[in-house]
Amino acid sequence: MSRAFAHEEVVVRRGRRSGLPLIVAVHSRVLGPAAGGCRMRRYDTWQDGLTDALRLSEAMTYKSAVAGLDFGGGKSVIALDRDTEVTPGLRESALEDLGELIASFDGSYRTGPDIGTGPEDMVVLRRFSPYAYCAPEEHGGTGDSGGPTAVGVLAALRAGARHVFGDASCTGKVVVVSGFGSVGSRVAAGLAAEGSHVVVSDVDHSRKEAALASGYGWVEPGRALSAPADILVPAAVGGVFDETSVPRLTAPLVVGPANNQLADESIADILAERGTVWVPDYVAGAGGVAYTLGRESEGYGHEAALERVEGIGDTVGHILDLARTTGVTPMRAARQLAERRLTAAGSPAAAETAAADADTRAEAGAAAAPARRPLSRS
């Protein structure tokens, strides 16, 4: 298989009701049905939406594999133009179009809310397919997955704190939470309850009043990454860490749920070289997926599903220990765990990647830096 395009299936369609570009990208079904949220957002071009879907669906493959889930990676995107006015009628038409497309996968791709969509939107998708998760409880779903996602982030934070500071407690630590939305606000509340000094930031300035009323500090978005902190929690958009922003970081530990935080995988090496411990986002942010799929697809009860989410802490501890003992970055350690599971399940793509990485290390010697592979393949 060519490494230029490793996705199993990609469908791009113009919605017959809405006229909007619809994209479903399935990266892998090796471990089970592909799962990944439905994103509705504005792009400069629909091709940018396709790139987003390809990149995010691959990340979902590794998120599920590392978390021990029997699911593959997928993503769906409704691509809006910059000047598209999203009326209630257009929104419903677009969701109906996507619901029809998801139904054509007959359960081999399953979705839930993502940026731009929420539980109520899943009700529309469920008119066409039962494989739209996180609908409100009165409609048979588990509702907003922000709570379980935050539980997983907090478990990851404790594991990271144990690794960096020698103690899992975040009491007394200064923590900057960049993104005060559904997940970020819950993480902030959990940290504050543990005795952390919480500072938050958000591009939506209307959230400042709520943050201050909760007793948190506030930092403007442009200064969030460089604000003095023990721990930084990226909980908003991706792509925030690059060659310009990383040198400004002050926190020795970075753990958060924002998807695709690194501009490219080489940034993981730069973070490691400067002594910053970065927990891969697809590991820290897996709680919502683990909980939702456990409840709605595998029949877990609430407590059993939450126990699985809490296990993210053990996974993070294992990844950081592996990275330390083998001299690789946490990203490479997490990738190795995922590829081992994918290879065991018979994934040609993972087997090819593992073989290529092994060849690179053999040629360069035991002390070689880990091979780099871009997340986005198009």
Side-chain angles (χ1 to χ4, degrees):
M1 177 184 292
S2 169
R3 295 185 72 183
F5 189 80
H7 287 68
E8 288 188 15
E9 185 174 8
V10 178
V11 178
V12 181
R13 178 181 298 177
R14 181 178 182 270
R16 64 184 183 89
R17 301 170 183 83
S18 65
L20 294 174
L22 312 173
I23 302 157
V24 174
V26 172
H27 178 257
S28 171
R29 299 186 183 97
V30 170
L31 295 174
C38 162
R39 177 167 292 199
M40 182 187 293
R41 61 166 292 190
R42 300 180 186 279
Y43 297 94
D44 290 332
T45 69
W46 70 263
Q47 291 92 336
D48 292 334
L50 173 60
T51 298
D52 216 12
L54 293 173
R55 181 170 49 91
L56 292 165
S57 59
E58 181 175 6
M60 282 301 303
T61 293
Y62 290 99
K63 177 182 286 190
S64 293
V66 172
L69 306 179
D70 294 327
F71 291 89
K75 205 74 178 180
S76 52
V77 168
I78 299 172
L80 305 173
D81 289 336
R82 292 293 180 189
D83 57 354
T84 300
E85 181 184 358
V86 185
T87 63
L90 179 62
R91 185 182 191 85
E92 183 165 6
S93 294
L95 290 165
E96 288 178 342
D97 287 336
L98 183 62
E100 199 169 67
L101 177 55
I102 290 171
S104 72
F105 283 83
D106 197 24
S108 68
Y109 166 67
R110 307 176 183 197
T111 195
D114 194 77
I115 292 175
T117 62
E120 291 294 340
D121 296 317
M122 299 303 104
V123 178
V124 179
L125 296 182
R126 284 166 72 104
R127 297 175 193 167
F128 300 86
S129 170
Y131 300 111
Y133 300 144
C134 295
E137 291 185 23
E138 61 268 26
H139 291 279
T142 52
D144 182 11
S145 64
T149 301
V151 170
V153 173
L154 289 169
L157 275 167
R158 296 184 192 104
R162 182 183 297 109
H163 182 87
V164 174
F165 306 115
D167 187 343
S169 173
C170 293
T171 301
K173 297 289 189 296
V174 177
V175 185
V176 173
V177 181
S178 178
F180 196 57
S182 173
V183 178
S185 60
R186 289 177 165 106
V187 171
L191 288 165
E194 292 183 16
S196 300
H197 301 296
V198 178
V199 179
V200 304
S201 178
D202 200 284
V203 293
D204 183 352
H205 216 262
S206 66
R207 293 174 176 169
K208 180 177 180 178
E209 184 176 347
L212 296 178
S214 297
Y216 309 141
W218 177 269
V219 62
E220 292 301 319
R223 297 181 53 247
L225 301 186
S226 59
D230 298 301
I231 304 171
L232 173 65
V233 181
V237 297
V240 293
F241 299 128
D242 56 27
E243 293 181 352
T244 301
S245 63
V246 167
R248 297 190 288 114
L249 295 177
T250 63
L253 174 62
V254 180
V255 186
N259 290 321
N260 296 304
Q261 295 166 19
L262 308 187
D264 63 72
E265 288 196 1
S266 67
I267 303 302
D269 296 328
I270 297 174
L271 286 163
E273 287 165 3
R274 70 188 306 275
T276 303
V277 174
W278 176 76
V279 174
D281 42 45
Y282 60 81
V283 180
V289 173
Y291 181 86
T292 299
L293 292 176
R295 290 291 311 279
E296 298 199 35
S297 185
E298 299 176 283
Y300 282 37
H302 171 71
E303 294 300 328
L306 274 185
E307 186 176 345
R308 173 190 270 184
V309 173
E310 291 281 4
I312 289 174
D314 294 333
T315 300
V316 170
H318 180 47
I319 287 169
L320 296 180
D321 287 344
L322 180 62
R324 175 180 284 168
T325 57
T326 61
V328 300
T329 66
M331 169 172 274
R332 175 50 56 187
R335 187 62 63 93
Q336 287 173 350
L337 291 177
E339 288 171 352
R340 192 176 305 152
R341 187 162 181 248
L342 289 164
T343 302
S347 165
E352 181 187 33
T353 301
D357 286 350
D359 289 344
T360 301
R361 287 191 292 271
E363 291 170 5
R372 298 174 183 173
R373 185 165 59 90
L375 277 175
S376 177
R377 302 178 190 156
S378 56

